[in-house]
Amino acid sequence: MLNSDLQNDFDSLRPGDSTEAGASRRTALKVALGVGYAAATLPIAAQTAITTSAEGLTAGPVKYTVNGFDVPAYMAAPAGKTGLPVVLVVQEIFGVHEYIADTCRRFAKLGYLAIAPELYARQGDPRGYTDIPKLQADIVSKVPDAQVLADLDGALAFATANGGNAAKAGITGFCWGGRFVWLYAATGKVKTGVAWYGRLVGQPSELTPKHPIDVAAALQAPVLGLYGGKDQGIPLDTIDKMKSSLATGTPAAKASQFVVYPEAGHAFHADYRPSYVKSAADDGWQRAVAWFKANGVV
């Protein structure tokens, strides 16, 4: 079976592309970091997919080293600016493809340095996979939380050395990445976070020893959680459990908030997929930007 992150993202893809021709189109896709969409997400919902220009920005692939490994990332920032507030952008399960790169450019247009590391890079490239269970087995199931957290540390350090201000850093992430927003907010490395429909509970394992519910009371930065009321993979009762844990915790935990969009399911911000709900996505984006500003990431 797919884990809940993978199943949620798989269920939100456009149906009807399981034909041999569809598989061929996916297999034929060749993508560079931040260029084109992940094969498993094709065909995209072109009528709603947002494209943000790189005009006025310094934007494109970068690399930084963590424990001797070169981590690829996509970074975007206003050209020629320094001392910028930083936003770490954490990928969906499909990796750093065009949607994530575009999200970085959207933040850069608002004056941020946004960086999205390819957090599966040691395990493989998820963007070329067309078979979701195989993606899970080959790559996602082998990614340790400790590796991800260290690579996020590396991304923040790289951003700081290249025009960013670590004292004004935040984090946001989507689905698989939304879970890590909560985990990273417990490390004390950022001022705040915005988690888009990230899983909150789960069974501990060697690679994933803790889940957001386990660190909720110990948060060192407040988190805004943006969730869908119709999300089949994240039951509303798990949000209630998270709220209860936050209420007993640190000042940052108590300052954390949830917004649940009753009409939205999973991946409602993913404008290139049929799961996109424009009203919820637009409202969530406005709330995210306001949340960063209110918590010193500006």
Side-chain angles (χ1 to χ4, degrees), residues 46-59:
Q47 69 275 16
T48 57
I50 296 171
T51 300
T52 303
S53 168
E55 183 178 359
L57 307 178
T58 299

PDB file of all heavy atoms in Angstrom, residues 46-59:
ATOM      1  N   ALA A  46      -3.219  22.568 -17.350  1.00  0.00           N
ATOM      2  CA  ALA A  46      -2.564  23.756 -17.892  1.00  0.00           C
ATOM      3  C   ALA A  46      -3.401  25.018 -17.719  1.00  0.00           C
ATOM      4  O   ALA A  46      -2.864  26.124 -17.630  1.00  0.00           O
ATOM      5  CB  ALA A  46      -2.248  23.541 -19.371  1.00  0.00           C
ATOM      6  N   GLN A  47      -4.713  24.867 -17.664  1.00  0.00           N
ATOM      7  CA  GLN A  47      -5.572  26.047 -17.575  1.00  0.00           C
ATOM      8  C   GLN A  47      -5.470  26.739 -16.227  1.00  0.00           C
ATOM      9  O   GLN A  47      -5.847  27.908 -16.098  1.00  0.00           O
ATOM     10  CB  GLN A  47      -7.026  25.674 -17.856  1.00  0.00           C
ATOM     11  CG  GLN A  47      -7.699  24.822 -16.791  1.00  0.00           C
ATOM     12  CD  GLN A  47      -7.426  23.340 -16.964  1.00  0.00           C
ATOM     13  OE1 GLN A  47      -6.505  22.946 -17.690  1.00  0.00           O
ATOM     14  NE2 GLN A  47      -8.226  22.515 -16.314  1.00  0.00           N
ATOM     15  N   THR A  48      -4.964  26.050 -15.210  1.00  0.00           N
ATOM     16  CA  THR A  48      -4.845  26.664 -13.883  1.00  0.00           C
ATOM     17  C   THR A  48      -3.400  26.787 -13.402  1.00  0.00           C
ATOM     18  O   THR A  48      -3.142  27.474 -12.414  1.00  0.00           O
ATOM     19  CB  THR A  48      -5.640  25.866 -12.831  1.00  0.00           C
ATOM     20  OG1 THR A  48      -5.181  24.505 -12.822  1.00  0.00           O
ATOM     21  CG2 THR A  48      -7.134  25.901 -13.135  1.00  0.00           C
ATOM     22  N   ALA A  49      -2.462  26.131 -14.068  1.00  0.00           N
ATOM     23  CA  ALA A  49      -1.063  26.169 -13.635  1.00  0.00           C
ATOM     24  C   ALA A  49      -0.517  27.591 -13.719  1.00  0.00           C
ATOM     25  O   ALA A  49      -0.642  28.270 -14.734  1.00  0.00           O
ATOM     26  CB  ALA A  49      -0.221  25.236 -14.494  1.00  0.00           C
ATOM     27  N   ILE A  50       0.083  28.041 -12.641  1.00  0.00           N
ATOM     28  CA  ILE A  50       0.618  29.401 -12.554  1.00  0.00           C
ATOM     29  C   ILE A  50       2.077  29.405 -12.986  1.00  0.00           C
ATOM     30  O   ILE A  50       2.857  28.540 -12.589  1.00  0.00           O
ATOM     31  CB  ILE A  50       0.490  29.937 -11.120  1.00  0.00           C
ATOM     32  CG1 ILE A  50      -0.994  30.043 -10.735  1.00  0.00           C
ATOM     33  CG2 ILE A  50       1.179  31.287 -10.971  1.00  0.00           C
ATOM     34  CD1 ILE A  50      -1.224  30.346  -9.266  1.00  0.00           C
ATOM     35  N   THR A  51       2.446  30.386 -13.797  1.00  0.00           N
ATOM     36  CA  THR A  51       3.835  30.557 -14.214  1.00  0.00           C
ATOM     37  C   THR A  51       4.304  31.939 -13.795  1.00  0.00           C
ATOM     38  O   THR A  51       3.727  32.946 -14.205  1.00  0.00           O
ATOM     39  CB  THR A  51       3.987  30.409 -15.739  1.00  0.00           C
ATOM     40  OG1 THR A  51       3.550  29.101 -16.125  1.00  0.00           O
ATOM     41  CG2 THR A  51       5.441  30.591 -16.156  1.00  0.00           C
ATOM     42  N   THR A  52       5.330  31.970 -12.968  1.00  0.00           N
ATOM     43  CA  THR A  52       5.866  33.221 -12.454  1.00  0.00           C
ATOM     44  C   THR A  52       7.180  33.534 -13.156  1.00  0.00           C
ATOM     45  O   THR A  52       8.105  32.715 -13.153  1.00  0.00           O
ATOM     46  CB  THR A  52       6.097  33.136 -10.935  1.00  0.00           C
ATOM     47  OG1 THR A  52       4.857  32.791 -10.305  1.00  0.00           O
ATOM     48  CG2 THR A  52       6.606  34.453 -10.377  1.00  0.00           C
ATOM     49  N   SER A  53       7.268  34.697 -13.734  1.00  0.00           N
ATOM     50  CA  SER A  53       8.461  35.116 -14.469  1.00  0.00           C
ATOM     51  C   SER A  53       9.667  35.252 -13.539  1.00  0.00           C
ATOM     52  O   SER A  53       9.534  35.620 -12.366  1.00  0.00           O
ATOM     53  CB  SER A  53       8.201  36.452 -15.160  1.00  0.00           C
ATOM     54  OG  SER A  53       9.394  37.021 -15.641  1.00  0.00           O
ATOM     55  N   ALA A  54      10.851  34.987 -14.078  1.00  0.00           N
ATOM     56  CA  ALA A  54      12.091  35.199 -13.336  1.00  0.00           C
ATOM     57  C   ALA A  54      12.676  36.584 -13.579  1.00  0.00           C
ATOM     58  O   ALA A  54      13.780  36.883 -13.104  1.00  0.00           O
ATOM     59  CB  ALA A  54      13.114  34.131 -13.720  1.00  0.00           C
ATOM     60  N   GLU A  55      11.955  37.428 -14.278  1.00  0.00           N
ATOM     61  CA  GLU A  55      12.445  38.783 -14.548  1.00  0.00           C
ATOM     62  C   GLU A  55      12.674  39.530 -13.232  1.00  0.00           C
ATOM     63  O   GLU A  55      11.817  39.532 -12.348  1.00  0.00           O
ATOM     64  CB  GLU A  55      11.443  39.553 -15.400  1.00  0.00           C
ATOM     65  CG  GLU A  55      11.913  40.945 -15.786  1.00  0.00           C
ATOM     66  CD  GLU A  55      10.922  41.672 -16.674  1.00  0.00           C
ATOM     67  OE1 GLU A  55       9.870  41.080 -17.010  1.00  0.00           O
ATOM     68  OE2 GLU A  55      11.205  42.828 -17.028  1.00  0.00           O
ATOM     69  N   GLY A  56      13.847  40.123 -13.109  1.00  0.00           N
ATOM     70  CA  GLY A  56      14.196  40.842 -11.896  1.00  0.00           C
ATOM     71  C   GLY A  56      14.721  39.961 -10.789  1.00  0.00           C
ATOM     72  O   GLY A  56      15.040  40.442  -9.696  1.00  0.00           O
ATOM     73  N   LEU A  57      14.835  38.670 -11.075  1.00  0.00           N
ATOM     74  CA  LEU A  57      15.296  37.712 -10.071  1.00  0.00           C
ATOM     75  C   LEU A  57      16.614  37.067 -10.486  1.00  0.00           C
ATOM     76  O   LEU A  57      16.937  36.993 -11.669  1.00  0.00           O
ATOM     77  CB  LEU A  57      14.265  36.595  -9.867  1.00  0.00           C
ATOM     78  CG  LEU A  57      12.822  36.988  -9.552  1.00  0.00           C
ATOM     79  CD1 LEU A  57      11.972  35.727  -9.431  1.00  0.00           C
ATOM     80  CD2 LEU A  57      12.748  37.826  -8.278  1.00  0.00           C
ATOM     81  N   THR A  58      17.337  36.586  -9.508  1.00  0.00           N
ATOM     82  CA  THR A  58      18.390  35.608  -9.740  1.00  0.00           C
ATOM     83  C   THR A  58      17.789  34.264  -9.359  1.00  0.00           C
ATOM     84  O   THR A  58      17.461  34.038  -8.188  1.00  0.00           O
ATOM     85  CB  THR A  58      19.632  35.899  -8.880  1.00  0.00           C
ATOM     86  OG1 THR A  58      20.147  37.186  -9.231  1.00  0.00           O
ATOM     87  CG2 THR A  58      20.701  34.846  -9.110  1.00  0.00           C
ATOM     88  N   ALA A  59      17.579  33.398 -10.322  1.00  0.00           N
ATOM     89  CA  ALA A  59      16.836  32.166 -10.070  1.00  0.00           C
ATOM     90  C   ALA A  59      17.411  31.016 -10.871  1.00  0.00           C
ATOM     91  O   ALA A  59      17.757  31.179 -12.041  1.00  0.00           O
ATOM     92  CB  ALA A  59      15.361  32.349 -10.419  1.00  0.00           C
TER      93      ALA A  59
END
